[in-house]
Amino acid sequence: MRKWALPSALLLLLLLSFLPDQGRKLHANAEDSGDSDELVDPPKVEEKLGAVPGGLSTDPDVAKREAESISRKTLRSNAEKFEFQAEVSRLLDIIINSLYSNKDIFLRELISNASDALDKIRFLSLTNKDILGEGDNTKLEILMKLDKEKKILSIRDRGIGMTKEDLIKNLGTIAKSGTSAFMEKMQTGGDLSLIGQFGVGFYSVYLVADYVEVISKHNDDKQYVWESKADGAFAISEDTWNEPLGRGTEIRLHLRDEAKEYLEEDKLKDLVKKYSEFINFPIYLWASKEVDVEVPSDEKESSDEETSETSSEDKETEEEETEEEDAEKKPKKKTVKETTYNWEVLNDMKAIWLRNPKEVTDQEYSKFYHSLVKDFSDENPFAWSHFTAEGDVEFKALLFVPPKAPHDLYESYYNTRKSNLKLYVRRVFISDEFDELLPKYLSFLRGLVDSDTLPLNVSREMLQQHNSLKTIKKKLIRKALDMIRRIADEDPDEFSNKDKTDTEKESENDEKKGQYAKFWNEFGKSIKLGIIEDAHNRNRLAKLLRFESTKSEGKLASLDQYISRMKPGQKDIFYITGTSKEQLEKSPFLERLTKKDYEVIFFTDPVDEYLMQYLMDYEDKKFQNVSKEGLKLGKDSKLKELKESFKELTDWWKNALSSENVDSVKISNRLDNTPCVVVTSKYGWSANMEKIMQSQTLSDASKQAYMRGKRVLEINPRHPIIKELRERVAQDPKDESVKQTAQLIYQTALMESGFILNDPKEFASSIYKSVQKSLDISPDATVEEEDDSEEPEAEEKESTTKGTEADPAEEEAEQFSVKDEL
């Protein structure tokens, strides 16, 4: 037996030496740097990586060797070692040992880098088609794969790739621009959730991974592997064990235990949809899918033999039928669920803002809007604006006016940072929290801005100070207001369409009829807030203002329409504020104006009071509140005579109301059927404004006194009550009953004018006394006192009536209470 032992051992070693086990050679390379065995023609793990369909064609042996390579967490001993730049080491230390609110951005940064690499190779291919190579290398795409068992996420592109020098330069150092600013932000505790915007996007992988491999192949160099654990060093070695990439880069992230969520397909799909949906190149994920598959049934087929006697003719017929059935007979099958894998494209939504607006249909715009805002209702946006800005700052933008306002649009309007505009830089999503792109009053607009000139490697704080941002904001506001004005211009119900012929009116799109009225009902308050906040565009916004008036017949009117209906010689635009149109229509302030056929605007929104403090004029026409002093309705030749005739009454009445903070009593030019009204000073609060301020939760009554306008009592010299009061005052100025009557008239006018009475009890007492007098009831009559003697008897009867219906527990409780009292 020993005789054959040595020859057998030698034979076994000889056989093993011929086995194509390169895994052991790889292991030898890791243990002994002196060995430099290389594969002349290593087998490919994926023959058609990225083919859709095509799947994977995997050699089990090669897969095993690859697993041995990528599962290790130590740098290969035969690799060339490098030290990170000092700033990179500091940066990685901060990334690994700090907490970030948004780790998702690592995927955005890697996809963005892959897109840049693909852009470069595509640009070079314009002049040299051979640079793309052949076969799958010509497919410009991004591929993602998951290995849940080994916790590996792989991202591959077929871009330009990196040489060994590129790997050292790009992944071992950081350009000075961006790094110093990033370090400053780190030290001052700024907003670090968007770390990738500082130009250090690749290093964001260490937010989720503790070991990273970068495999890259450039046309001008061999295939290399860059690897690092972010421990201050990285290694680069020539790749002789992985599948030849042909061209491009593959990044393998060995995820941390706390980053297992990124091994879920749904999570990756959501991140791509959010950040990289409009990347120019297709992004594929090797995704699983359950499908129904028919498999042979396990049940045994059996047939019963017929034992009954049949005639010979029947047997022949039966045999023929059996032969036909056998020819058509198929084996029994059942349906089972089976998991299959295939490449699934994740960014099928095209960036239509890059196309010519003339080439995009309305249906495409609507579809894109629903996809952008994740609104899958049947309602289309009111309007959209698709434009390209050129010059010092170049960008493309697509704005939409949504069909409905969010329910919380005006809640905490001034205390929230909210914007619905997405910012892209070279089709890479940056942020949707950029409220600096549009003013707050236009925050209801939805859309996006894509700039090729804005730097990608800056933070939100740095962008706020970027000069280009101001230019972009200015152009966006102008385009947004033009888009809103276009809704009105295309609406057949608007004033601008009334000069069209009947034929043109009939050809109007019915869908646009009444569109601006719908827009105003949803977003009209935003236009008013814009007039308050945006002084530069105030006149442009004023053209978009809509309201009802005494002549609008229940429809919305514009300021241009009002001016077109003004009477000759009218210099002011008249308006009145209140809580409702129905209330204002009955206001005594409108009596003379309505009689003389003047149009008065109704402002019933609380924000209108603030609005009219900023909108002082329009088209050289001043605004006049008809409930305030200074109303002019032409010249009144008899006014001077009336003032002299009623001077004694006005002076007496002012003294009688000295305790009521009445500044003066004047002859009114605005009344027709009402005896008197109370108006405020021109620059003070109106009655409606006083109510609004008093209803504020944190209002200060002591400070409100400074803004409350002085009140003026205006009397109607033609009214019989005023005439009679003048005669009574002339007969006996000290008559107390006349003073009480004058006080009651003032309080009534105060309430009718919209003010809140300081002492409602006193006013009510005066009314009751007046009623008592009108009914000839003696002033000494008193209220009859109630006889309390019958109350105990009534209670006794009531308890007797209830009888047995009383609850025993209640009776017992009453007994105890009586004992306690005793």
Side-chain angles (χ1 to χ4, degrees), residues 397-416:
L398 183 53
L399 303 177
F400 293 93
V401 179
K404 283 187 177 180
H407 67 280
D408 58 346
L409 179 59
Y410 303 110
E411 293 180 8
S412 302
Y413 177 79
Y414 290 105
N415 298 326
T416 57

Side-chain angles (χ1 to χ4, degrees), residues 676-739:
C676 57
V677 290
V678 178
V679 300
T680 56
S681 58
K682 190 171 184 179
Y683 299 104
W685 283 347
S686 65
N688 188 51
M689 189 63 174
E690 282 191 25
K691 289 180 181 178
I692 294 173
M693 296 308 298
Q694 289 177 8
S695 65
Q696 299 297 316
T697 305
L698 304 177
S699 61
D700 189 344
S702 61
K703 294 181 179 180
Q704 290 181 8
Y706 294 102
M707 290 303 298
R708 188 177 291 123
K710 292 183 178 181
R711 296 168 183 175
V712 176
L713 177 64
E714 290 192 359
I715 60 175
N716 185 356
R718 293 172 293 277
H719 200 281
I721 293 179
I722 301 301
K723 289 182 178 180
E724 181 63 24
L725 190 61
R726 180 183 62 172
E727 294 178 3
R728 294 288 183 93
V729 170
Q731 292 174 4
D732 187 2
K734 296 181 180 181
D735 189 348
E736 289 298 325
S737 62
V738 176
K739 285 185 178 181

Side-chain angles (χ1 to χ4, degrees), residues 98-105 191-194 207 262 275:
S98 299
L99 297 177
Y100 294 92
S101 59
N102 186 11
K103 295 183 179 181
D104 297 343
I105 54 95
D191 181 9
L192 309 178
S193 62
L194 300 179
L207 293 172
Y262 300 105
Y275 291 109

Side-chain angles (χ1 to χ4, degrees), residues 642 645-650 652-653 665-668 671-677 713-730 738 741-742 745-746 749:
L642 290 172
S645 175
F646 283 85
K647 189 176 188 307
E648 183 180 2
L649 175 63
T650 56
W652 173 87
W653 210 337
V665 180
K666 297 181 179 179
I667 302 298
S668 177
L671 298 177
D672 185 41
N673 299 319
T674 304
C676 57
V677 290
L713 177 64
E714 290 192 359
I715 60 175
N716 185 356
R718 293 172 293 277
H719 200 281
I721 293 179
I722 301 301
K723 289 182 178 180
E724 181 63 24
L725 190 61
R726 180 183 62 172
E727 294 178 3
R728 294 288 183 93
V729 170
V738 176
T741 302
I745 293 174
Y746 168 74

Side-chain angles (χ1 to χ4, degrees), residues 369 380-385 399-404 444-447 480 483-484 486-487 519 522-523:
Y369 167 79
N380 294 326
F382 280 119
W384 51 81
S385 180
L399 303 177
F400 293 93
V401 179
K404 283 187 177 180
F444 65 90
L445 296 179
R446 309 300 291 265
M483 173 178 59
I484 296 173
R486 192 169 66 248
I487 301 176
F519 164 82
E522 296 289 337
F523 305 106

Side-chain angles (χ1 to χ4, degrees), residues 518-543:
K518 295 178 183 177
F519 164 82
W520 183 258
N521 292 333
E522 296 289 337
F523 305 106
K525 187 174 292 186
S526 294
I527 302 300
K528 295 177 181 179
L529 290 170
I531 294 174
I532 296 172
E533 299 170 7
D534 192 352
H536 182 73
N537 293 291
R538 186 163 292 156
N539 190 64
R540 189 174 294 177
L541 286 161
K543 289 184 177 294

Side-chain angles (χ1 to χ4, degrees), residues 531-666:
I531 294 174
I532 296 172
E533 299 170 7
D534 192 352
H536 182 73
N537 293 291
R538 186 163 292 156
N539 190 64
R540 189 174 294 177
L541 286 161
K543 289 184 177 294
L544 303 174
L545 190 64
R546 295 295 183 271
F547 47 79
E548 289 188 61
S549 70
T550 54
K551 292 186 177 181
S552 66
E553 299 178 353
K555 297 181 180 180
L556 293 176
S558 65
L559 289 175
D560 289 331
Q561 287 176 286
Y562 181 97
I563 292 176
S564 68
R565 293 193 291 253
M566 287 177 65
K567 294 185 64 177
Q570 181 181 346
K571 298 180 180 180
D572 296 334
I573 298 175
F574 300 123
Y575 72 93
I576 186 172
T577 60
T579 56
S580 67
K581 174 188 173 184
E582 292 73 21
Q583 176 198 8
L584 294 178
E585 286 176 332
K586 301 174 183 177
S587 174
F589 295 108
L590 303 182
E591 291 178 354
R592 193 85 179 276
L593 290 160
T594 305
K595 188 175 182 179
K596 291 195 170 186
D597 198 31
Y598 284 103
E599 184 175 4
V600 182
I601 297 171
F602 296 138
F603 283 134
T604 57
D605 196 337
V607 75
D608 292 335
E609 286 286 355
Y610 301 93
L611 166 71
M612 299 315 296
Q613 295 177 24
Y614 293 87
L615 190 61
M616 307 301 294
D617 57 75
Y618 179 78
E619 301 292 344
D620 297 329
K621 305 290 183 181
K622 300 290 183 180
F623 285 92
Q624 173 63 52
N625 190 336
V626 299
S627 67
K628 289 188 176 184
E629 275 188 305
L631 181 65
K632 296 180 181 179
L633 299 176
K635 295 182 179 180
D636 192 345
S637 58
K638 297 182 180 181
L639 183 60
K640 189 174 182 180
E641 296 178 4
L642 290 172
K643 286 182 179 180
E644 291 295 331
S645 175
F646 283 85
K647 189 176 188 307
E648 183 180 2
L649 175 63
T650 56
D651 292 343
W652 173 87
W653 210 337
K654 179 182 177 181
N655 293 330
L657 299 175
S658 57
S659 62
E660 298 288 346
N661 192 29
V662 176
D663 185 56
S664 62
V665 180
K666 297 181 179 179

